[in-house]
Amino acid sequence: MNKGRVYIISGPSGSGKDTVLKEIFKVMPEIKFSISSITRDMRSGEVEGEKYNFITRERFEQMLADDELLEHNLFLGNYYGTPKAPVINCVENGQDIFIEVDVNGAAQIRQKMPDAVSVFIMPPSLEVLKARLCGRGTDSDEIIEKRLNEALREISRAPEYDYVVVNDNLQTAINNIVSIMSVDKFKTDRNLNLINQVLSK
Amino acid sequence: MNKGRVYIISGPSGSGKDTVLKEIFKVMPEIKFSISSITRDMRSGEVEGEKYNFITRERFEQMLADDELLEHNLFLGNYYGTPKAPVINCVENGQDIFIEVDVNGAAQIRQKMPDAVSVFIMPPSLEVLKARLCGRGTDSDEIIEKRLNEALREISRAPEYDYVVVNDNLQTAINNIVSIMSVDKFKTDRNLNLINQVLSK
């Protein structure tokens, strides 16, 4: 059986990444999404095992000590990380899996999984990015400015990714990610079985 | 302007590579094809500048000395090579260019142009490969056996390529190469202008 592919997906606030991923999951419900392990308290509306596994700090530090994470970070005193085992299981079973992660997490995963394909979702222009960040209408100028600077900091690391998908039109962005995944099936590392079959005369 | 892409295309006898490339050129006549410089005599039906530039051995050796070739080989006393300048001009002008070359030439180009995308066109099975090589009906068993071994030697180097496209159904093979080229437009190195535009606030 051919292995599945790990897709690292990042995109700043204002890229529309969350909507893109939700729509992709509708088109391809067979895609797995990695579930992060985190140590912060559960917020209202969150469900254990849906987007996060809520674990203790002790358990997280044990996972760190045992090298059981593909990436992790510490944010406002809480740990966030991607457990390695479920991702590897998926790939070994021939399933593709998406890991939604920030630019630092993406860099850590790339180190450990050089075969992962990384996609950065971009706003089409600075103007659109600004408009999207202001769009909620409820935030102060200071908070918007902070969010814009954070988005620009992430975009400055887009060149580390394999692909850049511009989210101007939602449907086009979705189609483009689906195309990236279709073409990935022609990559040589996913066709070694065929090559070996032809050679085994 | 975004740069064009160099596509290295290989495929053994029996892969149907020539037909695939002819059809791709019909679908996308804007694609450039690299013209080889060779030192053998022109054969009947060949036209200077169509598939080959026929040059003297002295000129070829001068090009070699001046590092003007992306790849070359010596076959039955004649030189064959891919001149560097036309390929670089194409890419700088934002045009994609195909270089049809064998597995050794491909390896040389990859060394010099790590950004080139390489595609190996494969027969779907050993049985089909054998049938295609016998199909002409005019060759001796010995010649067919020799051609088969040469094809298998090339296929054993398919893992060096970025993509493997199976030519079982001609139209599917063409569509798959066209898809590879479409998705290539989302590669990060072809979107650096956009990234820089968004960042230039």
Side-chain angles (χ1 to χ4, degrees):
Chain A
M1 180 171 44
N2 286 313
K3 287 191 180 184
R5 178 75 70 197
V6 172
Y7 289 95
I8 302 168
I9 313 281
S10 305
S13 183
S15 68
K17 177 189 59 176
D18 294 345
T19 313
V20 170
L21 290 181
K22 245 180 244 167
E23 294 298 317
I24 284 186
F25 187 61
K26 282 189 203 160
V27 183
M28 297 187 286
E30 70 279 12
I31 297 283
K32 301 289 169 192
F33 278 80
S34 166
I35 296 168
S36 300
S37 288
I38 67 177
T39 63
R40 72 159 165 74
D41 291 338
M42 202 185 288
R43 291 174 190 155
S44 95
E46 288 182 333
V47 177
E48 162 66 26
E50 199 176 76
K51 197 164 177 185
Y52 300 115
N53 286 318
F54 296 88
I55 66 174
T56 63
R57 194 179 178 89
E58 291 67 40
R59 175 76 193 105
F60 199 102
E61 287 175 344
Q62 190 59 52
M63 290 175 81
L64 269 180
D66 296 343
D67 192 25
E68 289 179 8
L69 295 160
L70 280 176
E71 59 83 30
H72 75 282
N73 68 349
L74 187 61
F75 182 67
L76 298 179
N78 291 302
Y79 281 117
Y80 295 75
T82 303
K84 200 189 288 180
V87 175
I88 289 177
N89 284 344
C90 252
V91 171
E92 293 295 329
N93 286 320
Q95 283 190 307
D96 293 339
I97 182 164
F98 275 34
I99 309 179
E100 190 189 334
V101 75
D102 75 348
V103 290
N104 291 320
Q108 292 176 51
I109 299 173
R110 237 178 251 120
Q111 284 274 332
K112 297 198 178 168
M113 301 193 131
D115 288 346
V117 168
S118 59
V119 179
F120 192 88
I121 301 175
M122 279 272 289
S125 69
L126 183 59
E127 291 64 39
V128 172
L129 175 62
K130 282 180 180 168
R132 286 182 188 168
L133 292 178
C134 296
R136 312 177 191 183
T138 53
D139 299 316
S140 70
D141 285 0
E142 198 190 340
I143 286 180
I144 291 169
E145 183 69 18
K146 205 174 150 187
R147 216 179 269 145
L148 177 64
N149 285 333
E150 176 55 23
L152 293 176
R153 193 190 61 78
E154 295 205 30
I155 293 169
S156 74
R157 293 184 61 182
E160 298 172 20
Y161 287 70
D162 295 313
Y163 295 103
V164 168
V165 168
V166 176
N167 182 17
D168 190 0
N169 173 286
L170 178 63
Q171 194 53 54
T172 306
I174 294 163
N175 292 347
N176 292 350
I177 292 178
V178 170
S179 297
I180 287 170
M181 297 178 71
S182 307
V183 161
D184 193 77
K185 302 277 195 290
F186 311 133
K187 288 240 185 92
T188 306
D189 65 346
R190 301 187 86 166
N191 288 280
L192 297 177
N193 289 350
L194 170 72
I195 294 169
N196 290 329
Q197 269 168 33
V198 174
L199 290 175
S200 64
K201 69 159 185 173
Chain B
M1 180 170 43
N2 287 313
K3 288 189 179 186
R5 178 75 70 197
V6 173
Y7 290 94
I8 302 168
I9 313 280
S10 305
S13 182
S15 67
K17 176 189 58 177
D18 293 345
T19 313
V20 170
L21 290 180
K22 244 180 243 167
E23 293 299 316
I24 284 187
F25 187 61
K26 281 189 203 160
V27 183
M28 297 187 285
E30 70 278 14
I31 298 282
K32 300 289 169 190
F33 279 79
S34 166
I35 296 167
S36 300
S37 288
I38 67 178
T39 63
R40 72 160 167 74
D41 290 340
M42 202 184 291
R43 291 172 190 157
S44 94
E46 288 182 331
V47 177
E48 161 67 24
E50 200 176 75
K51 196 166 176 181
Y52 301 114
N53 285 318
F54 296 88
I55 66 174
T56 63
R57 191 179 181 89
E58 292 66 38
R59 175 75 193 105
F60 199 101
E61 287 174 343
Q62 190 59 52
M63 290 175 82
L64 269 180
D66 296 342
D67 191 25
E68 288 179 11
L69 294 160
L70 281 176
E71 59 83 31
H72 74 282
N73 68 350
L74 187 63
F75 182 68
L76 299 178
N78 291 303
Y79 281 117
Y80 295 74
T82 302
K84 200 189 289 181
V87 175
I88 289 177
N89 285 344
C90 253
V91 170
E92 293 295 328
N93 286 320
Q95 284 189 308
D96 294 338
I97 182 164
F98 275 33
I99 309 179
E100 191 189 334
V101 74
D102 75 348
V103 291
N104 291 319
Q108 292 176 52
I109 298 172
R110 237 178 252 121
Q111 285 274 332
K112 296 196 180 171
M113 300 192 132
D115 288 345
V117 169
S118 58
V119 179
F120 192 88
I121 301 175
M122 279 272 291
S125 68
L126 183 59
E127 292 65 40
V128 171
L129 175 61
K130 282 178 179 169
R132 285 182 188 167
L133 292 177
C134 294
R136 312 175 190 185
T138 52
D139 299 316
S140 70
D141 286 357
E142 197 188 343
I143 285 181
I144 291 170
E145 182 69 18
K146 204 173 151 187
R147 216 179 269 144
L148 177 64
N149 286 333
E150 175 57 21
L152 293 176
R153 193 189 62 77
E154 294 205 31
I155 293 169
S156 74
R157 293 185 61 182
E160 298 172 20
Y161 287 70
D162 295 312
Y163 295 102
V164 167
V165 168
V166 176
N167 182 18
D168 189 1
N169 172 287
L170 177 63
Q171 194 53 53
T172 305
I174 293 163
N175 291 348
N176 291 351
I177 292 177
V178 171
S179 295
I180 288 169
M181 297 177 72
S182 306
V183 161
D184 193 77
K185 302 278 195 289
F186 311 133
K187 287 239 186 94
T188 306
D189 65 346
R190 301 187 86 167
N191 288 281
L192 297 178
N193 290 350
L194 170 71
I195 294 169
N196 290 330
Q197 268 168 35
V198 173
L199 290 175
S200 65
K201 67 161 184 172

